Amino acid sequence: MKQYDVVIVGGGVIGATLACLLSQSVRPITVAVIEPHIAALDTSVALDSRTTALNLASEQLLTSIGVWSDLIRYPIAPFVGMEVWEADGTGAIDFSADSIGQTHLGTLVENRYLLASLLNKARALNQTDWYTPHRLQSLKRIASGFEVLLDHNQGFTARLVVGADGARSRVRELCEFSVREWDYHHTSLVTWVKTEKPHQSIARQIFLPQGPLAFLPLQNNVSSIVWSSAPEHIQSLMALSDVEFMAVLADAFEHRLGDVIEIGPRLNFPLHHRHAKTYCQPHVVLVGDAAHNIHPLAGQGANLGFLDVEKLAALLIQA
């Protein structure tokens, strides 16, 4: 069997970032990435309804691995302020980049561009082998780590297996990590909209009685929408026509940006909390959503995953 130092299960944003980070080791670390989907840049839509809010630390990390210079070729949207308030008028708070001596607080990036930039970099690495489209079938503990078996009976050994395979992690399941989990009793609706008034590069979020609604600024008066609410409420919103939904959305947002005048495809997904009680066992570690899957209201899911792999890579390279 071929032997690897590190096998990363999951070749999405977090797994690809870890592969890039490990390539910076002076002593080469051999890496394999297992990913069931062949990712290609989706150019069939004008805008991706799914976006990621990168904080400044994540931007710095992507710069350090040579990905940021590629990412900025795509439409990205730095935001310079945040406004958060309660619908009943009892509380409000705002933040600005000027107040902390920064040019911006973070950057909104369409998921398709973030993944494409990371994969362009990660797949060019000499010491990284990609097994795609392949799925992890089993893990067998051996003295030096694991025997890793893929579909079609393909296999190899790994000194360390990294579960970067998302909220329903196969690695977490096979290695029987204990998990604390509960249903948020929320579903998130995501889309993009164009508004009558300019967003002025400010991220805004209102806390409604049933859950938070965020308008995250993209380019050209377009905002990414994340509306988390009770499942039955989201179902009723999904059933509306575009015209009806735009009117309801503008009302819910208190017309802070005027009317909603254009809208993209609406997607929705249930929200569930999963948190592994421990992130590591001998020769295996969980990162990203495999370790901690959280509510999107603070936009920190991907940023926490970036921090996971930054610290893990530093430890591996040091060791």
Side-chain angles (χ1 to χ4, degrees):
M1 279 188 164
K2 190 167 184 177
Q3 298 178 334
Y4 291 99
D5 295 320
V6 179
V7 169
I8 304 168
V9 182
V13 166
I14 302 305
T17 300
L18 178 58
C20 293
L21 285 163
L22 293 176
S23 72
Q24 297 179 328
S25 175
V26 174
R27 177 182 177 274
I29 297 173
T30 56
V31 178
V33 181
I34 304 167
E35 171 53 45
H37 303 105
I38 298 178
L41 180 59
D42 182 6
T43 57
S44 64
V45 295
L47 281 164
D48 191 343
S49 294
R50 300 161 303 164
T51 59
T52 296
L54 300 172
N55 63 24
L56 298 182
S58 295
E59 289 183 22
Q60 185 176 3
L61 171 62
L62 294 174
T63 299
S64 74
I65 59 176
V67 169
W68 191 255
S69 57
D70 183 56
L71 185 59
I72 60 177
R73 297 188 299 109
Y74 297 110
I76 63 174
F79 58 95
V80 299
M82 294 180 65
E83 296 177 357
V84 183
W85 71 97
E86 290 185 307
D88 61 9
T90 59
I93 192 169
D94 62 82
F95 308 89
S96 71
D98 285 343
S99 67
I100 58 172
Q102 297 287 345
T103 58
H104 61 294
L105 295 176
T107 301
L108 268 297
V109 181
E110 294 176 49
N111 284 13
R112 59 178 175 172
Y113 295 142
L114 178 58
L115 182 58
S117 296
L118 279 161
L119 291 181
N120 287 341
K121 181 68 175 181
R123 286 177 173 168
L125 302 174
N126 292 331
Q127 67 265 37
T128 300
D129 293 336
W130 283 76
Y131 294 85
T132 182
H134 284 286
R135 294 182 181 276
L136 173 66
Q137 293 297 322
S138 66
L139 293 170
K140 178 183 177 182
R141 290 189 181 274
I142 57 178
S144 60
F146 283 94
E147 286 184 2
V148 181
L149 182 66
L150 309 184
D151 44 13
H152 310 302
N153 291 321
Q154 190 169 10
F156 38 79
T157 65
R159 296 175 65 194
L160 177 70
V161 172
V162 179
D165 49 346
R168 292 181 173 85
S169 170
R170 177 70 171 157
V171 173
R172 190 182 64 216
E173 176 189 1
L174 289 173
C175 294
E176 299 181 342
F177 281 86
S178 295
V179 178
R180 296 173 62 247
E181 58 182 313
W182 60 82
D183 193 333
Y184 281 119
H185 302 293
H186 264 188
T187 295
S188 263
L189 185 157
V190 297
T191 186
W192 59 263
V193 299
K194 191 169 186 178
T195 53
E196 180 183 17
K197 297 178 181 179
H199 52 56
Q200 299 175 311
S201 297
I202 295 174
R204 295 173 173 88
Q205 183 166 240
I206 179 173
F207 280 85
L208 298 161
Q210 287 184 301
L213 166 61
F215 274 55
L216 307 173
L218 298 173
Q219 295 187 337
N220 303 320
N221 283 1
V222 173
S223 296
S224 174
I225 301 303
V226 184
W227 194 346
S228 301
S229 190
E232 58 273 14
H233 183 219
I234 296 298
Q235 288 175 9
S236 69
L237 294 174
M238 292 293 293
L240 297 175
S241 69
D242 283 354
V243 172
E244 291 170 331
F245 179 76
M246 288 190 292
V248 169
L249 180 62
D251 285 343
F253 204 60
E254 300 178 348
H255 289 268
R256 289 287 179 109
L257 298 177
D259 290 336
V260 177
I261 58 178
E262 190 177 345
I263 187 173
R266 282 168 273 168
L267 306 173
N268 69 97
F269 49 91
L271 299 177
H272 200 79
H273 177 96
R274 295 180 183 88
H275 194 167
K277 293 181 180 179
T278 60
Y279 294 171
C280 61
Q281 299 174 9
H283 301 284
V284 58
V285 62
L286 304 175
V287 296
D289 283 353
H292 38 70
N293 184 218
I294 61 173
H295 198 290
L297 72 88
Q300 289 304 305
N303 293 300
L304 288 172
F306 283 131
L307 190 59
D308 287 345
V309 294
E310 182 179 30
K311 299 304 182 184
L312 176 60
L315 286 171
L316 295 177
I317 291 171
Q318 182 183 14

